[in-house]
């Protein structure tokens, strides 16, 4: 069956299929979405469908109010979280939510992930933020929408730019990452998991370890980012 959203659905399918390849989720856990701001639509993984059975046809397309425009399956239960982030952060065009082991471990610890080494500094100059657990009033309300609110409120409170830090740990829950497209949002999920794994190992080996020096953070970040960067081709 032809679809006016075929390209968007193919991209969404491809992005979601990368989640288990990178071992970021098991079974049907997690989801990736893409927004087409020109058309005012969002494509997202259907709820509870295992990755090995996903097809282009099963991808769900919605308008930005959450109304299904195309697809016979229910969209991800996290759809309202995605839509809230798209509404508040206009430069975000793809969101990835996983249940990767080390990222979830840090989220459950309710701790930010400190900049312990240069791998972290290659990508970020700040700790990876972890929100507080959601309060009971929000849990009993529109939970998935409030998960998005929890993220945007935390970034606003801590004066964090979502274009500078494209990842977040939701306290007691798990990781969300985003980017300009599905390649970037997925890449950020992979990087987040690896940094969380390294940080866990570092803290296990030396529980009293401190963050690396600011000079190292600046050096490793600026050699990859900004007008004076020189890493790569």
């Amino acid at each position: 069956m032809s679809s006016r959203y075929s390209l968007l659905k193919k991209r969404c399918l491809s992005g979601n299929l990368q989640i288990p390849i990178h071992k970021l989720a098991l079974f049907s856990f997690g989801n990736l979405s893409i927004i087409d701001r020109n058309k005012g639509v969002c494509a997202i993984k259907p709820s509870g469908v295992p990755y090995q059975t996903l097809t282009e046809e099963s991808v769900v397309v919605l308008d930005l109010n959450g109304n299904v425009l195309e697809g016979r399956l229910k969209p991800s239960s996290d759809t309202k979280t995605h839509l809230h982030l798209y509404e508040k952060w206009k430069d975000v065009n793809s969101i990835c939510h996983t249940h990767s082991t080390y990222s979830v471990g840090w989220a459950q610890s309710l701790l930010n992930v400190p900049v312990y080494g240069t791998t972290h500094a290659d990508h970020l100059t700040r700790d990876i933020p972890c929100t507080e657990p959601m309060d009971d009033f929000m849990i009993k309300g529109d939970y998935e929408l409030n998960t998005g609110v929890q993220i945007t409120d935390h970034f606003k409170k801590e004066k964090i730019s979502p274009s500078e830090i494209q990842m977040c740990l939701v306290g007691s829950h798990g990781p969300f990452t985003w980017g300009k497209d599905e390649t970037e949002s997925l890449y950020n999920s992979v990087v987040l998991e690896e940094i969380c794994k390294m940080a866990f190992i570092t803290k296990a080996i030396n529980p009293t370890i401190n963050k690396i020096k600011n000079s190292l953070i600046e050096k490793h970040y600026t050699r990859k980012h900004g007008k004076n960067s020189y890493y790569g081709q």
Side-chain angles (χ1 to χ4, degrees):
M1 181 186 297
S2 61
S3 165
R4 61 177 299 200
Y5 308 116
S6 181
L7 178 58
L8 188 68
K9 292 169 74 173
K10 285 178 181 177
R11 289 172 54 201
C12 185
L13 172 64
S14 178
N16 274 285
L17 292 179
Q18 291 295 310
I19 291 176
I21 289 174
H22 291 288
K23 299 180 180 180
L24 298 175
L26 300 171
F27 304 116
S28 63
F29 304 171
N31 44 74
L32 180 145
S33 70
I34 309 172
I35 189 173
D36 184 329
R37 293 192 179 274
N38 291 327
K39 293 182 178 178
V41 299
C42 169
I44 196 167
K45 178 183 176 290
S47 179
V49 176
Y51 290 98
Q52 64 267 29
T53 65
L54 279 181
T55 64
E56 179 185 337
E57 185 180 356
S58 64
V59 173
V60 184
V61 179
L62 313 99
D63 65 23
L64 302 189
N65 292 315
N67 300 305
V68 174
L69 301 177
E70 192 168 290
R72 56 183 177 78
L73 301 176
K74 294 189 298 182
S76 166
S77 58
D78 296 307
T79 295
K80 287 185 178 181
T81 307
H82 290 237
L83 291 177
H84 176 79
L85 296 180
Y86 287 136
E87 178 187 358
K88 296 298 182 180
W89 294 341
K90 302 302 183 184
D91 291 334
V92 171
N93 294 313
S94 178
I95 296 164
C96 185
H97 169 52
T98 77
H99 289 256
S100 53
T101 304
Y102 288 89
S103 299
V104 169
W106 277 95
Q108 291 176 172
S109 78
L110 305 180
L111 296 174
N112 295 340
V113 184
V115 188
Y116 283 139
T118 59
T119 305
H120 188 145
D122 282 339
H123 297 88
L124 302 168
T125 60
R126 297 178 59 162
D127 296 355
I128 296 167
C130 181
T131 74
E132 296 178 356
M134 190 182 295
D135 65 36
D136 289 346
F137 177 78
M138 293 179 73
I139 292 171
K140 293 175 182 177
D142 197 334
Y143 175 73
E144 287 76 21
L145 172 62
N146 288 335
T147 300
V149 172
Q150 190 179 9
I151 295 171
T152 55
D153 281 359
H154 187 80
F155 271 56
K156 184 177 181 181
K157 175 185 174 183
E158 299 298 324
K159 297 181 172 59
I160 303 172
S161 165
S163 59
E164 176 189 354
I165 298 185
Q166 297 178 313
M167 54 188 68
C168 181
L169 301 173
V170 176
S172 305
H173 184 171
F176 283 82
T177 64
W178 48 86
K180 64 181 183 296
D181 56 27
E182 67 276 16
T183 300
E184 188 169 60
S185 69
L186 181 78
Y187 174 85
N188 287 330
S189 285
V190 176
V191 168
L192 173 58
E193 175 64 4
E194 194 66 17
I195 291 174
C196 286
K197 181 178 181 180
M198 291 176 177
F200 172 81
I201 294 170
T202 301
K203 193 71 172 174
I205 295 171
N206 184 356
T208 63
I209 191 69
N210 293 316
K211 293 193 290 186
I212 63 171
K213 297 187 295 184
N214 287 333
S215 57
L216 264 178
I217 294 174
E218 182 179 358
K219 179 62 178 179
H220 271 263
Y221 188 80
T222 56
R223 73 177 190 156
K224 280 193 171 185
H225 306 273
K227 63 179 182 179
N228 296 320
S229 62
Y230 57 87
Y231 174 86
Q233 303 303 314

